[in-house]
Amino acid sequence: MRRSLFGRSWPNVIALVLLVFFAFPVYWMVVTAFKPNKDIISKTPVFIPFHATLEHFSTAFNAAQFWEMTGNSILVTVVSVAASLVIATLAAFAVARMRFRGRKGFILVIMLAQMAPWEVMVISTYLIVRDNDMLNSLVPLMVFYMMMVLPFTIWTLRGFIAAVPKELEESAMVDGCTRPQAFVKVVFPLLVPGLMSTSLFGFITAWNEFPLVLVLNKATGPGTAQTLPVWLSSFQSNFGDDWGATMAASTFFALPVLVLFLVFQRKAVGGQTAGAVKG
């Protein structure tokens, strides 16, 4: 009886330990954002801020360039994700529905691009951007962020499109629709889960990306093309590192991803699993 009970409970115990292990840094970040300075620098850890304050949020929000960097992050992320969805939808449709020479090779290239770490391309990316005189600009970030999420987006949407029966498109075309109209009216509405999952993945990738923008956009000051992650890494007060304000800004930085995940949770999980195995 005891062995049976242990056999059923140990996976839950391991899952709980892992949850605490991975969630504690996030909890500590949020708690620190609300602690007064005396609790932050105290030698005795304060796990629950009984005297919570919003002072650190005010400091972060009023810091120079905070909202400018936030705007840069939003612009780069939205443009790169939107562009990747448009291109990936068309490419995924071609791969899933059409038979052409080099199709299997193209799919293999997509898989290899997805597996390759983008950090190894930072130097070559820098040289390309520098030679085209585009350093300290948001445009290269949009282009390369789009390229980073494109392989995953194509692969996922390909699975969704392949799962849609061809007979639905053929029936629409028999009823008078053209091929593009059949895609828009029949296939596209069925791609909503896949679009949600891929857009969430693309948003997280572009929103959190750090090394590329650090290398390409080194300039600081008003009008700079840096994004919020780089700004957070260099945020200091007149007295050195302001951990309270840094944690407050980091908490604010994490909110968009959390909100999107909560909104798209069911669709995103279903999209990732279905798009990965179908087709």
Side-chain angles (χ1 to χ4, degrees):
M1 184 69 176
R2 291 181 178 178
R3 290 182 179 180
S4 177
L5 181 61
F6 177 77
R8 291 195 303 266
S9 62
W10 73 264
N12 296 329
V13 173
I14 294 178
L16 181 61
V17 172
L18 291 176
L19 175 63
V20 173
F21 179 79
F22 288 108
F24 182 77
V26 179
Y27 169 79
W28 194 251
M29 175 187 71
V30 176
V31 167
T32 304
F34 290 96
K35 290 180 184 178
N37 286 323
K38 63 178 182 178
D39 289 343
I40 295 177
I41 64 177
S42 174
K43 294 182 179 180
T44 303
V46 178
F47 294 95
I48 300 178
F50 293 102
H51 305 286
T53 177
L54 297 177
E55 176 185 357
H56 302 308
F57 286 92
S58 177
T59 301
F61 293 164
N62 293 322
Q65 296 183 283
F66 174 81
W67 293 110
E68 181 183 355
M69 299 301 102
T70 302
N72 289 346
S73 293
I74 294 174
L75 177 63
V76 169
T77 301
V78 171
V79 172
S80 59
V81 172
S84 66
L85 287 178
V86 173
I87 297 174
T89 300
L90 299 176
F93 182 82
V95 172
R97 285 288 191 259
M98 302 177 183
R99 297 296 181 266
F100 52 89
R101 182 175 298 179
R103 175 176 173 272
K104 293 183 178 180
F106 179 73
I107 296 175
L108 178 61
V109 170
I110 292 175
M111 296 178 63
L112 293 176
Q114 176 63 27
M115 292 186 292
W118 281 95
E119 287 76 8
V120 301
M121 300 182 62
V122 169
I123 296 178
S124 59
T125 300
Y126 173 81
L127 295 176
I128 293 173
V129 175
R130 184 200 61 183
D131 293 343
N132 288 276
D133 195 25
M134 297 186 70
L135 292 175
N136 300 314
S137 171
L138 295 178
V139 176
L141 297 181
M142 298 177 187
V143 174
F144 285 103
Y145 287 178
M146 179 195 68
M147 294 172 58
M148 290 169 63
V149 302
L150 204 53
F152 175 84
T153 309
I154 294 175
W155 181 257
T156 304
L157 293 181
R158 167 188 171 272
F160 272 89
I161 295 175
V164 177
K166 292 182 180 180
E167 291 76 11
L168 295 178
E169 292 179 73
E170 294 172 353
S171 298
M173 288 188 286
V174 169
D175 291 337
C177 291
T178 62
R179 187 68 177 269
Q181 289 175 335
F183 173 78
V184 172
K185 295 181 179 181
V186 177
V187 178
F188 187 78
L190 300 176
L191 296 181
V192 172
L195 293 173
M196 286 186 175
S197 64
T198 52
S199 62
L200 179 59
F201 170 81
F203 185 92
I204 294 174
T205 302
W207 185 256
N208 293 330
E209 207 284 327
F210 178 82
L212 188 62
V213 63
L214 181 65
V215 173
L216 297 183
N217 299 340
K218 295 181 179 180
T220 58
T224 184
Q226 290 182 353
T227 55
L228 201 53
V230 177
W231 182 88
L232 286 172
S233 68
S234 59
F235 177 57
Q236 289 183 328
S237 67
N238 295 330
F239 304 98
D241 294 324
D242 189 339
W243 293 113
T246 301
M247 294 299 104
S250 300
T251 301
F252 173 82
F253 176 74
L255 280 179
V257 175
L258 177 62
V259 171
L260 284 178
F261 180 79
L262 293 176
V263 173
F264 294 161
Q265 182 180 10
R266 292 185 179 180
K267 294 291 185 180
V269 174
Q272 290 174 348
T273 54
V277 300
K278 293 180 181 178

